[in-house]
Amino acid sequence: GAVVSQHPSWVICKSGTSVKIECRSLDFQATTMFWYRQFPKQSLMLMATSNEGSKATYEQGVEKDKFLINHASLTLSTLTVTSAHPEDSSFYICSASVRPGYGYTFGSGTRLTVV
Amino acid sequence: KNQVEQSPQSLIILEGKNCTLQCNYTVSPFSNLRWYKQDTGRGPVSLTIMTFSENTKSNGRYTATLDADTKQSSLHITASQLSDSASYICVVSADYGGSQGNLIFGKGTKLSVKP
C-alpha cells in the first residue's frame, strides 16, 4: 500500500518553456503532498507543501510564481516549472502523506533537464 | 538549528561484508527517525522508522538503532549485496505540536558494494 506515482520520470525541455510534473497517490488519499528538489550529491530540499483544496506553502527562497503547485484532488498534485532555465535542471521528487508528520511515501522522481 | 549529520559521506565495501552507517541529529522536539534507501535517479524508499521509545528496528538485512539520549542512530547492513549500492538517507521528523511534521534530511551516505 501507499504507492505514489510520479510522471514523467525524465523530461528535457527548451529554455523558456514550461514543464508539468504530476504526483499521484494511487491507493490512498493524500491531504498533503510535498515537493522536493535534489541537486547532485545533495540532500533533498523541501520546496513547498501542497494542501488539497488550498494554496501551497512555499519554503523561503522558492519562487511561487515560477514553481506553480496545484493540488485539486486528494490523489493528484502537480508542479509546473514555468519559463524554465538551465539552472532549474534538477531532480524533483514528490512525497505524499495521509497524516501530517507520518507515513511519507516518495515518488520515483523526475529528472528535469533544461537546454 | 535542527540538523542531521551522516557519516561516512561515502563507503566502499566488498560483497558479503557488513557495514554500519551513522546518523547524529540535533532536532527538537523529536518525533521519529527514518532511514531511506535511494537508488541513483530514483525516489527514496523507506527502510525503517523509529519513534522515541524504540531503540531498534529491523527490516531484513537492515537493522536500525536509535539512542534518543545521545541523539544518535545507526543503520547496520548485514551480508551486503551488490543491490545494496545506493545512498542511505537519515531523516528526522520534528514534531511541532501537532502541526505539519517537519522533515530534516541528512545528506546521505553513498554506499558502493563491490564484487
Side-chain angles (χ1 to χ4, degrees), chain A residues 9 32 34 36 38 41-46 49 51 91 93 95 100-109 111, chain B residues 31-32 34 36 38-39 41-46 49 51 89 91 93 98-103 105-108:
Chain A
S9 56
T32 306
F34 302 87
Y36 296 86
Q38 186 178 32
K41 298 183 180 180
Q42 296 294 314
S43 181
L44 279 73
M45 296 297 296
L46 180 65
T49 301
N51 301 296
F91 193 55
I93 307 174
S95 75
Y102 195 85
Y104 295 95
T105 302
F106 288 87
S108 56
R111 170 72 60 192
Chain B
S31 177
N32 56 67
R34 316 148 192 259
Y36 285 89
Q38 184 178 21
D39 292 311
R42 306 290 292 177
V45 174
S46 180
I49 178 170
T51 59
I89 304 172
V91 183
S93 179
S99 61
Q100 291 190 5
N102 189 353
L103 298 186
F105 288 80
K107 291 188 175 182

Side-chain angles (χ1 to χ4, degrees), chain B residues 71-105:
Chain B
K71 298 187 177 181
Q72 295 179 326
S73 176
S74 66
L75 179 69
H76 187 74
I77 304 175
T78 304
S80 62
Q81 300 176 358
L82 297 179
S83 59
D84 292 333
S85 296
S87 288
Y88 291 84
I89 304 172
C90 175
V91 183
V92 180
S93 179
D95 184 0
Y96 290 109
S99 61
Q100 291 190 5
N102 189 353
L103 298 186
I104 296 94
F105 288 80

Side-chain angles (χ1 to χ4, degrees), chain A residues 4 7 9 13 17 21 30-31 40 42 67-68 70 80-81 93 97:
Chain A
V4 173
H7 178 81
S9 56
C13 71
T17 61
I21 303 170
T31 56
Q42 296 294 314
F67 298 99
L68 301 180
N70 184 280
T80 301
V81 183
I93 307 174
S97 173

